[in-house]
Amino acid sequence: MANLEEPASKRRRISSSAADMQSAITQPGSIKINVTGAYIIDHEDDDTPPSSSSSSSPSSSSESPEQTYQHHKRDIRLPNHTAVVSHVAADIGGSLAKVVYFSRENEHAESGGRLHFLSFETDKIDDCIEYLRSLQSRHKLANGAKATELTVQATGGGAFKFYDRIKERLGVGVQREDEMTCLIMGLDFFITEIPMEVFTYNDADPENAAVYQDVRTDPYPYLLVNIGSGVSMIKVSGPSQFQRIGGTAMGGGTLWGLLSLLTGARSFDDMLAMADKGDNGPVDLLVGDIYGEGMGYEKIGFSDRTIASSFGKVLKRKREAERSAEDGGGLSNGDPNAVKPATNGSETADGPPAGVIADGRMFKPEDISRSLLYAISNNIGQIAYLQSEKHDLQRIYFGGSFIRGHQQTIHTLSFAIKFWSKGVKQAYFLRHEGYLGAVGAFLKRRPANWGRRGSVEA
């Protein structure tokens, strides 16, 4: 998707005033997070690399061989926030731990600061804790010995599972926050406060597919579809008025688990990269395979590439390959220890037997990846539509680390909502879709009576 240039006007500092403070995010005591003039920074377009934006920011160079985290490519610049922030936030899920923290810009308070976004695999939670420890040390170094101790706002299942470990190793207070409350608070913040954050997807113009939305002062009601390891669907009727109305166990964890069995991918990003290169046609049974091309099914909204059955060609192709190797030892699908089938004269001068690709597999890992990505995304999209119909919700926001700004995933979810609703409902996406819970936890450290624009009452 094309990157839009940030308007120069958004980079101008605005001095603090009573009006600014009225519209700021209030924190304990005298601490306030001033979001006036906030804007998103792409690191590729920023002349200040994340490793040097602040003395309180540990190095995040992508060249470090020991780096076990992924630094999100878009910080949120807060040019008008000058006070010290004495907490960080972590949303620890089943697959990923997401961290949000604030740092000063160029080590000068008057320059404001920025929010950073990082993720770790939850299996490497000890590395995440060590990173938090480094933030703790940098916080003391930057703000002096009398600075308030850096505390941790934690949400997600891991906030409970790893509570004792985090508290013991860091020696600081750990405040656990309700997961769904944090999700909604984080999403409301992005919708109502951050320009160029929310977008829709227009597949009719691939070069400019992302259509960015203006901030909304009244986003309710809406449906949040949060896709992590599993999927939760939450109806939001107003500030702090929400209800989990459904979900599915087939989410990001399903894709990750099955593709780790079926392909050689070792990370979620590897799987998405393979899906980019794949073609689901050899794996899925398509409408064109059943009816033939140009047989009039366009009248009901189908094309010859519409999926009739996910993985629907696998059994047929497997049987064909088995018949071509009648007295073989079976097909390995890439297993080097499996018995290879006898050629029995079926191997051609150009390569392996019919139905088998060059490395002994029946299907390319890239094709399998794309097919499964489509299967899970289509399933989530249809369930989301049905829930929105049941509860009369027109706007559907998709969040969670499953999406990762991946164009195929976004296209599939957007198409599903448009197709099933006949264009009546709209799918919305976010540039920080995986950090809703972490941002919500970050914002939770505040007086109970806080509320800007009435959007995030606790």
Side-chain angles (χ1 to χ4, degrees), residues 222-223 225 233 235 245 380-396 416-426:
Y222 64 79
L223 175 68
V225 181
M233 299 185 184
K235 175 185 177 180
I245 56 176
I380 293 170
Q382 185 169 16
I383 295 174
Y385 161 73
L386 293 172
Q387 290 288 5
S388 70
E389 275 290 282
K390 180 179 179 181
H391 296 275
D392 193 25
L393 301 169
Q394 303 305 311
R395 293 191 297 274
I396 305 170
I417 298 303
K418 289 179 181 177
F419 177 82
W420 292 111
S421 71
K422 295 180 172 60
V424 173
K425 300 179 187 293
Q426 181 67 63

Side-chain angles (χ1 to χ4, degrees), residues 172-307:
V172 300
V174 179
Q175 181 64 45
R176 291 175 288 194
E177 302 291 352
D178 177 73
E179 183 174 3
M180 290 195 182
T181 299
C182 289
L183 283 172
I184 302 307
M185 182 172 289
L187 178 53
D188 278 358
F189 170 77
F190 283 126
I191 295 173
T192 62
E193 304 291 357
I194 306 300
M196 307 280 289
E197 171 67 39
V198 178
F199 64 93
T200 58
Y201 185 83
N202 177 19
D203 54 7
D205 185 5
E207 295 300 319
N208 299 282
V211 181
Y212 293 102
Q213 307 295 298
D214 294 332
V215 295
R216 301 181 66 101
T217 57
D218 183 16
Y220 313 108
Y222 64 79
L223 175 68
L224 167 59
V225 181
N226 193 60
I227 314 172
S229 298
V231 183
S232 287
M233 299 185 184
I234 306 167
K235 175 185 177 180
V236 183
S237 304
S240 297
Q241 299 174 20
F242 60 87
Q243 175 188 6
R244 187 182 188 277
I245 56 176
T248 172
M250 295 184 65
T254 310
L255 181 70
W256 197 339
L258 288 176
L259 288 184
S260 68
L261 292 173
L262 297 172
T263 73
R266 294 188 177 184
S267 72
F268 198 81
D269 289 321
D270 286 346
M271 296 170 191
L272 294 181
M274 286 198 301
D276 280 337
K277 301 174 184 176
D279 175 9
N280 65 307
V283 180
D284 294 338
L285 185 64
L286 308 178
V287 168
D289 297 322
I290 299 173
Y291 291 94
E293 296 184 8
M295 298 304 294
Y297 36 72
E298 294 85 358
K299 296 178 181 179
I300 56 174
F302 290 163
S303 73
D304 62 313
R305 295 290 298 180
T306 299
I307 299 171

Side-chain angles (χ1 to χ4, degrees), residues 47-48 56 76 83 135 147 202 210 219 234 256 285 350:
D47 57 5
T48 305
S56 63
I76 293 181
L135 290 177
N202 177 19
I234 306 167
W256 197 339
L285 185 64
D350 296 326

Side-chain angles (χ1 to χ4, degrees), residues 44-209:
E44 293 84 356
D45 302 328
D46 182 21
D47 57 5
T48 305
S51 60
S52 62
S53 64
S54 168
S55 62
S56 63
S57 175
S59 174
S60 58
S61 171
S62 60
E63 297 177 0
S64 172
E66 298 180 357
Q67 179 173 300
T68 57
Y69 60 86
Q70 184 175 52
H71 193 288
H72 190 69
K73 296 299 183 183
R74 300 181 180 95
D75 296 342
I76 293 181
R77 183 77 165 88
L78 302 173
N80 296 290
H81 181 80
T82 59
V84 175
V85 177
S86 298
H87 65 282
V88 298
D91 176 11
I92 309 173
S95 301
L96 294 174
K98 286 78 67 177
V99 174
V100 173
Y101 69 93
F102 174 87
S103 73
R104 286 178 176 173
E105 194 74 6
N106 300 319
E107 305 182 15
H108 300 297
E110 61 271 19
S111 298
R114 65 175 68 191
L115 291 177
H116 299 263
F117 303 84
L118 308 167
S119 64
F120 298 76
E121 291 184 15
T122 304
D123 288 344
K124 298 177 181 178
I125 189 64
D126 290 332
D127 293 332
C128 179
I129 295 173
E130 285 304 307
Y131 191 92
L132 296 178
R133 188 200 301 278
S134 69
L135 290 177
Q136 184 182 44
S137 300
R138 306 270 179 159
H139 174 75
K140 291 180 179 178
L141 181 64
N143 300 295
K146 295 183 179 180
T148 305
E149 191 75 44
L150 191 71
T151 59
V152 178
Q153 301 287 114
T155 188
F160 296 86
K161 182 176 181 179
F162 302 111
Y163 174 81
D164 291 335
R165 190 185 304 186
I166 296 171
K167 190 172 182 180
E168 177 183 342
R169 295 193 183 179
L170 297 182
V172 300
V174 179
Q175 181 64 45
R176 291 175 288 194
E177 302 291 352
D178 177 73
E179 183 174 3
M180 290 195 182
T181 299
C182 289
L183 283 172
I184 302 307
M185 182 172 289
L187 178 53
D188 278 358
F189 170 77
F190 283 126
I191 295 173
T192 62
E193 304 291 357
I194 306 300
M196 307 280 289
E197 171 67 39
V198 178
F199 64 93
T200 58
Y201 185 83
N202 177 19
D203 54 7
D205 185 5
E207 295 300 319
N208 299 282

Side-chain angles (χ1 to χ4, degrees), residues 19-38:
D20 291 337
M21 292 298 99
Q22 184 68 29
S23 64
I25 301 176
T26 307
Q27 299 292 323
S30 61
I31 300 176
K32 297 185 177 184
I33 305 295
N34 191 335
V35 297
T36 304

Side-chain angles (χ1 to χ4, degrees), residues 376-420:
I376 291 176
S377 298
N378 278 320
N379 182 61
I380 293 170
Q382 185 169 16
I383 295 174
Y385 161 73
L386 293 172
Q387 290 288 5
S388 70
E389 275 290 282
K390 180 179 179 181
H391 296 275
D392 193 25
L393 301 169
Q394 303 305 311
R395 293 191 297 274
I396 305 170
Y397 290 88
F398 288 92
S401 297
F402 172 80
I403 300 173
R404 299 199 183 196
H406 188 245
Q407 191 163 358
Q408 287 180 17
T409 306
I410 291 171
H411 163 78
T412 305
L413 293 170
S414 179
F415 177 81
I417 298 303
K418 289 179 181 177
F419 177 82
W420 292 111

